[in-house]
Amino acid sequence: MNDKTKSTEFTQLSKEQRPSLLADFWMFLKTNKKWWLLPILIVLGLLGVLVLLSGTAIAPFIYPLF
């Protein structure tokens, strides 16, 4: 490849829309077969939701879960 071809290819790639974080992560899981990461991230997400909800009026209903 010459420099002109590399330059135009780079320009074309830079104009493409980047995938979202979730789409990028999903592609990572599919291509690298790292399915063991999925349950860890689901649990972390659920814990994050619980932390966010603990500051709301729903908090008294969450505490009996523990």
Side-chain angles (χ1 to χ4, degrees), residues 22-66:
L22 290 177
D24 195 26
F25 184 69
W26 184 252
M27 287 188 294
F28 169 77
L29 287 178
K30 282 180 22 178
T31 56
N32 293 325
K33 309 289 190 234
K34 303 287 185 183
W35 297 111
W36 56 270
L37 285 172
L38 201 56
I40 296 170
L41 291 175
I42 290 171
V43 169
L44 283 174
L46 290 174
L47 286 174
V49 168
L50 281 176
V51 167
L52 289 175
L53 291 177
S54 67
T56 65
I58 301 173
F61 302 105
I62 294 173
Y63 294 129
L65 296 177
F66 299 102

Side-chain angles (χ1 to χ4, degrees), residues 2-41:
N2 60 19
D3 290 336
K4 182 71 172 172
T5 308
K6 289 180 184 179
S7 177
T8 57
E9 182 182 354
F10 180 76
T11 306
Q12 289 173 348
L13 289 174
S14 67
K15 291 180 181 178
E16 289 182 4
Q17 185 177 1
R18 292 179 35 171
S20 68
L21 180 64
L22 290 177
D24 195 26
F25 184 69
W26 184 252
M27 287 188 294
F28 169 77
L29 287 178
K30 282 180 22 178
T31 56
N32 293 325
K33 309 289 190 234
K34 303 287 185 183
W35 297 111
W36 56 270
L37 285 172
L38 201 56
I40 296 170
L41 291 175

